[in-house]
C-alpha cells in the first residue's frame, strides 16, 4: 500500500514537472551586442587653411557615416591632441583596423602610416618612415597596399618597398619592375588569392602589362597583354576577374575588358556608350552603376555587362549651381547592398545620397541624404570593413 502511494506521488510529480517544463518558455542565450562600426562607412578628408604666420596646413580628417548619421569628430574624441598628419591621401581597412597614409609635411615628403582600432578609433601605431630621396629631391609616395596588420607595400612611381609595421620601418625593396614603372595611379591593384593583381601602363611606349606580386614572397611576375589598354577604371567582379574600362589614346573609343587573374583577356567589347570614369560594381551580380556624360551627367545608369541591358537607375535632379563642374563617386556597400553617391566640386563634397541598389521601381528615389558643412575636401570615400569584403574565391 505504501509502495502504491509513493508510486502515485512520484507519477503526479512527474506529470506536474512535465507540464511545467512544457509550458515554460525556452531560455534564449543572450546575443552579443551589435557593433555599429561593423557597417560604418569611412571617408578620408582634408581640411586646408592658413596659419597665423602665413604658412598653409592640410590636415587629414576622418568622417564616419553610421546609422545614426554623419560624424566629424569621433576620431578626435578618441585621440585628443592628435591628428592624421598633412596631405592625408589613402585610407583602407584590414583585420578590423583602419590604415591611414599621409605625409608629415609638404616639403620633405616623409611618409607616415597611422593604424587605428576600428572599434575604439584609438591610434594603435603611428609610424614615420624615412623619405626616399632621388638626386637630392624627396620623392612623393603614390600609393599603399595593406597586406596584413604586420605588412604594407609602399609604392612610388619607380620603386616599391615592404614596410614591417611591427618594426616600424622599410625592410625590403621590391625589385623586378619592368621599364622602371612600379605604380599607375589610375590603375589600382587588387589582392586575390595571396596575389596583388593589376595593370601597369607605360605611357612612353604605350604598353600595358598585367603584373602580379606574390604577397608571401614579394616576387613579381609580368604577363604581356597584346592589346593596348590604357585603363581609365578598374573594378573587381564577383568571380575575382578584373573589369577594365579603357579609352583609346588616338581613337578615343571606349572598350570594356574582362581579364582573369592569370592575365588572360576573357572578354573584349567595344562600347557605344561613353563613360565618365565614375562607376561601381555590385559584389554579387554582373551589374555596374555609372554616371552619365554630357547632358546626362546628373543621371546614374544601371548596366548588366553580361546581357548588355542598360536602365536609368536614378536622376539626381539637383538645382545646385554649376553641377556640370562637380564630380561624382559611387560605391555599393557589400553588406547593406546600398548604392552610395557623393557629389563634390574640386574643393569640398556637397552631399551624399543613399539608394536601394535593388530598387524595383526605376528611376529610384534616394532613401537618405547627408549634407556637408563645406569645410572638407574629400580625398577618399566609401571605405568599408574589410572583414566583410575580403572573401577570395579559390580556383
Amino acid at each position: 500500500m505504501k509502495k502504491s502511494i509513493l508510486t502515485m506521488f512520484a507519477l503526479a510529480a512527474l506529470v506536474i514537472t512535465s507540464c511545467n517544463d512544457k509550458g515554460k518558455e525556452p531560455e534564449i542565450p543572450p546575443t552579443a551586442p551589435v557593433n555599429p562600426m561593423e557597417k560604418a562607412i569611412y571617408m578620408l578628408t582634408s581640411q586646408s587653411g592658413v596659419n597665423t604666420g602665413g604658412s598653409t596646413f592640410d590636415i587629414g580628417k576622418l568622417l564616419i557615416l553610421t546609422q545614426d548619421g554623419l560624424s566629424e569628430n569621433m576620431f578626435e574624441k578618441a585621440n585628443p591632441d592628435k591628428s592624421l598628419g598633412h596631405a592625408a591621401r589613402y585610407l583602407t581597412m584590414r583585420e578590423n583596423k583602419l590604415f591611414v597614409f599621409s605625409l608629415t609635411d609638404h616639403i620633405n615628403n616623409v611618409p607616415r602610416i597611422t593604424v587605428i582600432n576600428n572599434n575604439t578609433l584609438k591610434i594603435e601605431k603611428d609610424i614615420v618612415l624615412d623619405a626616399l630621396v632621388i638626386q637630392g629631391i624627396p620623392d612623393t609616395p603614390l600609393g599603399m597596399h595593406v597586406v596584413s596588420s604586420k605588412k604594407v607595400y609602399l609604392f612610388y612611381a619607380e620603386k616599391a618597398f615592404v614596410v614591417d609595421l611591427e618594426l616600424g620601418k622599410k625592410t625590403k625593396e621590391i625589385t623586378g619592375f619592368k621599364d622602371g614603372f612600379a605604380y599607375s595611379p589610375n590603375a589600382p591593384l587588387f589582392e586575390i588569392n595571396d596575389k596583388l593583381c593589376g595593370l601597369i601602363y607605360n605611357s612612353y611606349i604605350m604598353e600595358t602589362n598585367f603584373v602580379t606580386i606574390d604577397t608571401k614572397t614579394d616576387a613579381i611576375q609580368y604577363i604581356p597583354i597584346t592589346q593596348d589598354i590604357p585603363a581609365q577604371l578598374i573594378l573587381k567582379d564577383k568571380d575575382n576577374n578584373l573589369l577594365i574600362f579603357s579609352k583609346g589614346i588616338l581613337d578615343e573609343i571606349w572598350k570594356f575588358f574582362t581579364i582573369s587573374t592569370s592575365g588572360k583577356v576573357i572578354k573584349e567589347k567595344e562600347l557605344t556608350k561613353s563613360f565618365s570614369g565614375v562607376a561601381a560594381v555590385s559584389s554579387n551580380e554582373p551589374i555596374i552603376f555609372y554616371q552619365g556624360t554630357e547632358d546626362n551627367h546628373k543621371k546614374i545608369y544601371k548596366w548588366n555587362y553580361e546581357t548588355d541591358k542598360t536602365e536609368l537607375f536614378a536622376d539626381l535632379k539637383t538645382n545646385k549651381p554649376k553641377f556640370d563642374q562637380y564630380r561624382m563617386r559611387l560605391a555599393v556597400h557589400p553588406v547593406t547592398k546600398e548604392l552610395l553617391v557623393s557629389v563634390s566640386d574640386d574643393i569640398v563634397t556637397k552631399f551624399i545620397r543613399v539608394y536601394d541598389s535593388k530598387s524595383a521601381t526605376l528611376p529610384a528615389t534616394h532613401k537618405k541624404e547627408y549634407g556637408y558643412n563645406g569645410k572638407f575636401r574629400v580625398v577618399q570615400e566609401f571605405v568599408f570593413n574589410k572583414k566583410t569584403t575580403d572573401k577570395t574565391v579559390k580556383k
Side-chain angles (χ1 to χ4, degrees):
M1 182 69 179
K2 286 184 178 180
K3 189 174 181 181
S4 300
I5 294 173
L6 290 173
T7 302
M8 290 174 61
F9 273 115
L11 289 172
L14 180 61
V15 171
I16 293 171
T17 304
S18 299
C19 290
N20 286 343
D21 287 344
K22 187 175 181 179
K24 186 178 179 181
E25 292 292 332
E27 292 186 5
I28 300 175
T31 57
V34 177
N35 181 2
M37 307 309 289
E38 287 289 330
K39 296 181 180 180
I41 301 163
Y42 296 88
M43 289 153 278
L44 182 63
T45 71
S46 181
Q47 187 174 15
S48 304
V50 181
N51 293 314
T52 54
S55 60
T56 60
F57 65 86
D58 188 357
I59 302 299
K61 189 175 181 67
L62 271 181
L63 298 185
I64 304 173
L65 183 62
T66 66
Q67 296 297 320
D68 296 329
L70 188 65
S71 172
E72 298 178 6
N73 56 8
M74 290 176 69
F75 172 80
E76 284 77 9
K77 286 182 178 179
N79 303 275
D81 303 322
K82 291 186 179 181
S83 73
L84 290 176
H86 296 266
R89 56 181 62 194
Y90 184 80
L91 170 69
T92 190
M93 183 178 285
R94 191 81 183 236
E95 299 174 14
N96 211 33
K97 299 179 189 296
L98 289 160
F99 297 80
V100 180
F101 172 59
S102 63
L103 303 176
T104 58
D105 58 72
H106 288 289
I107 300 174
N108 298 311
N109 285 334
V110 176
R112 175 185 175 190
I113 299 174
T114 305
V115 183
I116 303 167
N117 185 294
N118 180 45
N119 295 328
T120 65
L121 293 181
K122 289 185 176 294
I123 294 178
E124 293 186 351
K125 295 178 182 178
D126 209 1
I127 300 170
V128 177
L129 303 169
D130 295 333
L132 176 64
V133 179
I134 299 177
Q135 296 181 349
I137 301 174
D139 198 11
T140 304
L142 297 178
M144 176 181 77
H145 179 82
V146 179
V147 178
S148 70
S149 60
K150 300 178 181 179
K151 181 178 179 179
V152 165
Y153 288 147
L154 187 62
F155 291 94
Y156 295 79
E158 300 178 1
K159 290 180 179 290
F161 296 89
V162 177
V163 177
D164 188 316
L165 294 179
E166 292 189 327
L167 298 177
K169 64 179 183 179
K170 301 173 189 173
T171 56
K172 178 182 179 182
E173 180 177 353
I174 303 176
T175 58
F177 288 105
K178 187 177 179 181
D179 300 324
F181 279 79
Y183 188 76
S184 299
N186 64 330
L189 300 173
F190 293 93
E191 188 172 346
I192 303 171
N193 298 338
D194 298 324
K195 288 189 177 182
L196 206 56
C197 306
L199 301 181
I200 292 183
Y201 179 68
N202 188 327
S203 57
Y204 294 120
I205 60 175
M206 299 175 65
E207 178 183 272
T208 301
N209 281 278
F210 186 86
V211 62
T212 64
I213 303 176
D214 190 312
T215 57
K216 293 183 177 179
T217 64
D218 308 319
I220 293 177
Q221 180 183 10
Y222 275 91
I223 302 171
I225 296 179
T226 54
Q227 292 94 336
D228 177 34
I229 308 177
Q232 301 294 321
L233 178 70
I234 301 181
L235 303 169
K236 184 177 75 169
D237 72 1
K238 57 185 176 62
D239 298 320
N240 281 338
N241 296 313
L242 299 186
L243 308 176
I244 299 168
F245 292 87
S246 168
K247 186 178 182 181
I249 299 295
L250 300 177
D251 56 19
E252 296 189 347
I253 294 176
W254 280 91
K255 292 184 179 180
F256 178 73
F257 295 89
T258 303
I259 298 181
S260 70
T261 54
S262 64
K264 180 181 178 181
V265 177
I266 302 172
K267 295 179 182 178
E268 177 185 351
K269 179 180 177 62
E270 186 173 309
L271 300 176
T272 56
K273 56 178 72 68
S274 295
F275 283 85
S276 61
V278 177
V281 64
S282 173
S283 58
N284 59 354
E285 295 178 303
I287 298 295
I288 288 176
F289 298 90
Y290 67 92
Q291 178 188 12
T293 58
E294 299 174 355
D295 295 337
N296 297 317
H297 57 267
K298 295 182 183 180
K299 297 178 181 179
I300 301 170
Y301 293 90
K302 181 179 180 180
W303 176 43
N304 186 314
Y305 55 84
E306 290 186 353
T307 64
D308 204 22
K309 180 182 179 181
T310 303
E311 299 176 276
L312 173 62
F313 177 78
D315 189 342
L316 271 63
K317 293 182 179 178
T318 177
N319 295 321
K320 296 184 182 295
K322 298 182 179 179
F323 187 85
D324 57 330
Q325 297 178 16
Y326 290 179
R327 58 178 179 167
M328 191 184 294
R329 289 184 177 94
L330 305 175
V332 178
H333 197 292
V335 178
T336 66
K337 309 303 179 188
E338 294 171 328
L339 176 67
L340 306 165
V341 182
S342 76
V343 174
S344 62
D345 58 18
D346 290 335
I347 301 174
V348 295
T349 293
K350 301 299 183 180
F351 60 86
I352 293 175
R353 286 183 180 174
V354 181
Y355 292 85
D356 179 3
S357 68
K358 294 183 175 295
S359 176
T361 304
L362 297 180
T365 302
H366 62 277
K367 297 159 49 178
K368 302 174 186 175
E369 179 171 327
Y370 302 94
Y372 282 83
N373 58 16
K375 292 189 300 185
F376 307 110
R377 176 175 59 85
V378 174
V379 178
Q380 187 175 351
E381 283 183 310
F382 306 144
V383 174
F384 309 110
N385 196 330
K386 287 288 185 180
K387 196 163 76 172
T388 60
T389 59
D390 274 356
K391 295 180 179 179
T392 58
V393 178
K394 302 293 182 183
K395 294 185 177 182

